[in-house]
Structures are given as structure tokens and as C-alpha cells.
Amino acid sequence: MLTTLMSGKALTASELAAEAGITAQTASSHLSKLEGAGLLTQRKQGRHRYFALADDEVGNLLEAMMGLAAKRGHMRARTGPRDPALRKARVCYNHLAGEFGVRMFDSLAARGLVVEEGEDVSLTDEGETFVSGLGIDLPALTSLRRPLCKSCLDWSMRRTHLAGALGTALLDRFYDLGWARRIDGTRIVSFTGEGERRFLEIFPAV
Amino acid sequence: MLTTLMSGKALTASELAAEAGITAQTASSHLSKLEGAGLLTQRKQGRHRYFALADDEVGNLLEAMMGLAAKRGHMRARTGPRDPALRKARVCYNHLAGEFGVRMFDSLAARGLVVEEGEDVSLTDEGETFVSGLGIDLPALTSLRRPLCKSCLDWSMRRTHLAGALGTALLDRFYDLGWARRIDGTRIVSFTGEGERRFLEIFPAV
DNA sequence: TTCATACTTCGACCATAACCGAAGCATGAG
DNA sequence: CTCATGCTTCGGTTATGGTCGAAGTATGAA
């Protein structure tokens, strides 16, 4: 039920029970515990009770837990969000995840613009030129104490994507350029037709 | 046992059992499960088996989980070590934790010498002057790849203290100045009378 | 070799968690 | 009003996990 709610959408108790394959009674019991623990919020609306993750921090923790579980080979058969829009592109903390996030990272790595060494990721000289060309103010980013590049394991793809200050800056840049926007109340990053075209062009498949 | 291992030190099965207040058999059962799950690593050395967290990612996840739990008010009643000396000042990885660690961080933050932004911590210009005045070779630290400042959640105090290269350098400096020394075989940092006086003077309570 | 220590395995016990059927509320529709 | 729907509470069963005593294995010391 928690992973289902990671879509950011609020779902009713019945929907969550059906999703989890348990009866309404059992679901009700779990949901009340989760709400009591502060992990879920509940909103009554008519006869329905809509449940959602309490805040982003809960979603981030779930994603971190699933990321670690995936690396250790303990994932369930079904992984990642079912919603195709979420699988395609979503926010993870403040950077881009999903198929688009992984594609961007792979594309950068294949052209030698970033180098992955274990858990560390670094930007090469060519990479600096490249991201500057995208309109990223690199000196401003490096002046932050925050690590410029970090790797982050993608939940649905189980592949590395780009986190850190640069990951955040790139997603913000896509917003600024009007290529994509965050769908309110969800973790979905929705690309426009033109935005998607440009993104795929700039980050070619490897 | 996992929270105990967050100190970064490798501990034997018996030590972990004693710390958790369970028998050796029970501890053995849990440790083998945790190792099987890839959360712990084991190193045989003579008759002892030393256990440690498998990698930083595990520690980070534990920290995130405890952070969220603390925010939601679900921390266990008994937290931190029972030994008063350990509660007062101890090493966490290579930096100072316990009451003294938290006091140092609070004092630095209250005077605007460090700034905490979520999980990131940065040293201000005034902070740079301050730590240089303490005899820290700041240029040497910043040349390291390792992050200069990191926040670390204190187990017993449930409060932030200073980790990272600077956290390590400060503790080393206290050793050099003769203010404190590490008690062999323990995580206790023992301050001398004079050392404690100077420490409390330099890092006034907020 | 013999003994002590460190740890694991086995077997059993008990507390708890997950689960569902039945019944009970609450809400909206007719 | 009555009825259907969505959800919760209650009671009881089953499965699981945590726990320890007893016995077994490995290692180092005497």
C-alpha cells in the first residue's frame, strides 16, 4: 500500500486493499496503524477516506529503502510504480528519476561527460563545457558546499541516475526552459512535446 | 545492534549481544540474518567475529529512518549508551559525539559559524576564521575529496552534531592540544580538567 | 592433549502480527 | 424513511518472529 501511494495520488481504503490483495478489514487495520504512526494522512470525503503519504520525507525514505533493497537483491517481483507517467519521469528528492533520469545519466556517462567511480560521480572538463552550454551556472553550483554530483539508485529502473547539486540544477533548468513541469500533488514530471523532443535530442540513447 | 554499529566500529557478536541485552544465541540468529540480507559484513579474526555495517549506504538509511522516527515521536525510551562517560563525549566514526559533540555544533550554529540546511552543513566566512584560529589547516582539509562538513544525528542526544573532514580535524586538534584522549578499547573521549574548561569556554552553551 | 572461550545450531516456547468473517457505524441515494 | 456502499471494530484462528536452554563446533591457550 505504501509503494502504491508513492505515486503521490490519494487513494481510498478499498482501492488500497484491492491493490494489496487483502480484505477491507485487514487494510483498515494497517491503515489506521500507519496513520497513527504519522506515515499517512487521511482525508474524509463523503463515504470515502482518501489516504496519502504524510509528506515527501516518507516517500523519500521509502525510495531509499527500496533502492538499498534492490541493490541487495531483495526486491519483490513487481518493482517501481505502475503508473507509466511515473515510470517515465519523476522527481527523486529534487532531481530527475525514472526512465528519463536514467537515460540522461547513461547518455552523459557514455560520452565521457561524467565519470562514475563506485558511489562517486565526477564531472569531466568536457562535461563542464556541456552543462555550461545548457545554461547551468556551474561556478555558482561549485561554490555550494553540497556535492556537485552524486549517484542515486533508481527504484523502477534499478540503475544509476544523477543526483547532487548538478542533478537538481538540471531539473530546475528543464522547468525554466518550459520543457517540463511538476504535476501538483504527485511526483510526476510531465514533459511537453517539444520539451521531450529536445531532451531526447540532447541526451541521445547509448 | 544496528544503531550500535552506526559508530562505525566493528564489534564482536558478544559485544553486540550485551549491548542489545539479549543472549548470544539470539544475537547470533539476528546477525546471520542481517549478514544474509547484506546489511552487515563479517570478519573472522581468531575466535572473534567482528561485525560492521556493510557500507555507508546502510548507515545513511538507518540514520534517515531514525531521523523520521524521531520527528514522528517514535524513538525508543532507551537510547544511547548507558555509560555516563560515553554519553558525555565519544567518537562517532572519527568525530566527536555525545553531549560535547552536540554542544559544539549548537554553539557553532548559534554564532553563525556554520549553517545547517537540511542535511547539508556549510562553514561561513566567520566560521572559517574561527576554526583557523583554533589551529585547523583549512586549505589542507578542503583539498581532500571528503566533504568538509556533514551533519550526523547523535544517537543519545537525538540532535545534530558535526561530522565530515572538519569534524575529524577538530577532534584530532583536541587530542593534539592535550585536551582529551581516546580511552583504548572504548569509544569514550576523556577530557582533562583543563581541556574540558577550555572546550566549554570556546564552545559556550546557547 | 586438555581446557576455556567465542560463537552457532537445534528445538521448543510464547508473544505478537496478519488475517478474515461477522457485525456495527456512517454517509449518500432513492 | 429505507437501502446500498464504504469503512471500521470485534472476535478468533493461524503464521511468524523473538527468545532462550542445551548441545555442538571452532579457535586459541596452557
Side-chain angles (χ1 to χ4, degrees):
Chain A
M1 295 194 289
L2 287 171
T3 53
T4 302
L5 288 172
M6 281 182 70
S7 69
K9 284 187 284 201
L11 296 171
T12 67
S14 316
E15 289 169 330
L16 289 167
E19 185 74 22
I22 56 180
T23 62
Q25 305 94 288
T26 306
S28 178
S29 157
H30 287 294
L31 289 170
S32 75
K33 284 175 196 168
L34 289 167
E35 193 197 357
L39 297 182
L40 297 183
T41 55
Q42 189 194 134
R43 208 183 47 190
K44 272 185 77 170
Q45 201 156 343
R47 287 188 283 194
H48 299 278
R49 301 220 173 164
Y50 287 92
F51 289 89
L53 298 187
D55 54 39
D56 280 352
E57 203 176 349
V58 176
N60 289 335
L61 182 58
L62 286 171
E63 182 129 1
M65 291 176 72
M66 289 199 283
L68 187 65
K71 252 190 209 167
R72 300 297 191 276
H74 296 299
M75 285 302 285
R76 302 267 170 179
R78 177 158 65 80
T79 63
R82 195 177 293 184
D83 186 340
L86 268 171
R87 298 188 77 92
K88 185 173 174 184
R90 66 175 180 278
V91 288
C92 172
Y93 295 85
N94 292 310
H95 58 266
L96 187 64
E99 291 162 16
F100 274 40
V102 171
R103 179 185 176 124
M104 180 169 78
F105 183 84
D106 285 348
S107 187
L108 290 171
R111 284 179 283 169
L113 303 177
V114 299
V115 178
E116 188 180 11
E117 293 157 335
E119 294 195 21
D120 295 326
V121 176
S122 51
L123 194 63
T124 63
D125 291 343
E126 296 79 11
E128 291 186 3
T129 307
F130 179 80
V131 298
S132 297
L134 287 177
I136 301 288
D137 183 1
L138 211 45
L141 288 184
T142 47
S143 73
L144 299 173
R145 298 282 179 185
R146 188 177 165 198
L148 183 65
C149 295
K150 271 179 62 180
S151 74
C152 183
L153 188 68
D154 198 90
W155 168 36
S156 50
M157 305 279 289
R158 306 189 207 173
R159 296 270 298 284
T160 296
H161 61 245
L162 185 66
L166 181 59
T168 302
L170 280 166
L171 180 56
D172 287 342
R173 183 67 183 144
F174 301 152
Y175 292 149
D176 287 344
L177 288 166
W179 291 4
R181 65 187 184 83
R182 170 90 176 265
I183 305 291
D184 284 337
T186 75
R187 298 159 62 124
I188 297 172
V189 174
S190 171
F191 275 76
T192 65
E194 172 66 8
E196 180 164 338
R197 200 186 61 72
R198 297 292 305 279
F199 180 93
L200 297 177
E201 179 183 294
I202 291 182
F203 302 107
V206 287
Chain B
M1 294 194 291
L2 287 171
T3 53
T4 301
L5 288 171
M6 282 182 71
S7 69
K9 263 185 72 168
L11 296 170
T12 66
S14 317
E15 288 169 332
L16 289 168
E19 185 74 24
I22 56 180
T23 62
Q25 304 95 289
T26 305
S28 178
S29 156
H30 288 293
L31 289 169
S32 76
K33 285 176 195 168
L34 289 167
E35 193 197 357
L39 298 182
L40 297 184
T41 54
Q42 188 195 136
R43 207 184 47 193
K44 274 185 77 169
Q45 200 156 337
R47 288 188 283 192
H48 299 279
R49 302 222 174 162
Y50 286 91
F51 289 89
L53 298 188
D55 53 38
D56 280 353
E57 205 176 347
V58 176
N60 291 335
L61 183 57
L62 286 171
E63 193 158 319
M65 291 176 73
M66 289 201 287
L68 187 65
K71 257 191 206 166
R72 298 295 191 277
H74 295 299
M75 290 298 280
R76 298 269 172 173
R78 174 160 70 81
T79 62
R82 275 170 298 274
D83 185 339
L86 267 172
R87 298 188 77 93
K88 184 174 174 184
R90 65 176 179 278
V91 287
C92 169
Y93 294 86
N94 291 311
H95 58 267
L96 187 64
E99 292 161 17
F100 274 40
V102 171
R103 178 182 176 126
M104 180 167 79
F105 183 83
D106 285 348
S107 188
L108 290 171
R111 284 179 283 170
L113 303 178
V114 300
V115 178
E116 189 180 10
E117 292 158 333
E119 295 193 20
D120 295 325
V121 176
S122 52
L123 194 64
T124 62
D125 292 343
E126 296 79 13
E128 292 185 2
T129 307
F130 179 80
V131 298
S132 297
L134 287 177
I136 301 288
D137 183 0
L138 211 44
L141 289 184
T142 47
S143 72
L144 299 173
R145 277 219 192 160
R146 189 176 163 197
L148 183 64
C149 296
K150 272 180 61 179
S151 74
C152 185
L153 186 69
D154 198 275
W155 172 31
S156 52
M157 304 279 290
R158 307 182 211 172
R159 298 270 298 284
T160 297
H161 62 244
L162 186 66
L166 181 58
T168 302
L170 280 166
L171 180 56
D172 287 342
R173 182 66 182 144
F174 302 151
Y175 292 150
D176 287 345
L177 288 166
W179 292 3
R181 64 188 185 83
R182 171 87 175 267
I183 306 292
D184 284 339
T186 74
R187 310 212 307 277
I188 296 173
V189 174
S190 171
F191 276 76
T192 65
E194 172 66 6
E196 180 164 337
R197 199 186 62 71
R198 297 293 306 277
F199 181 91
L200 297 177
E201 177 183 295
I202 290 182
F203 302 107
V206 285

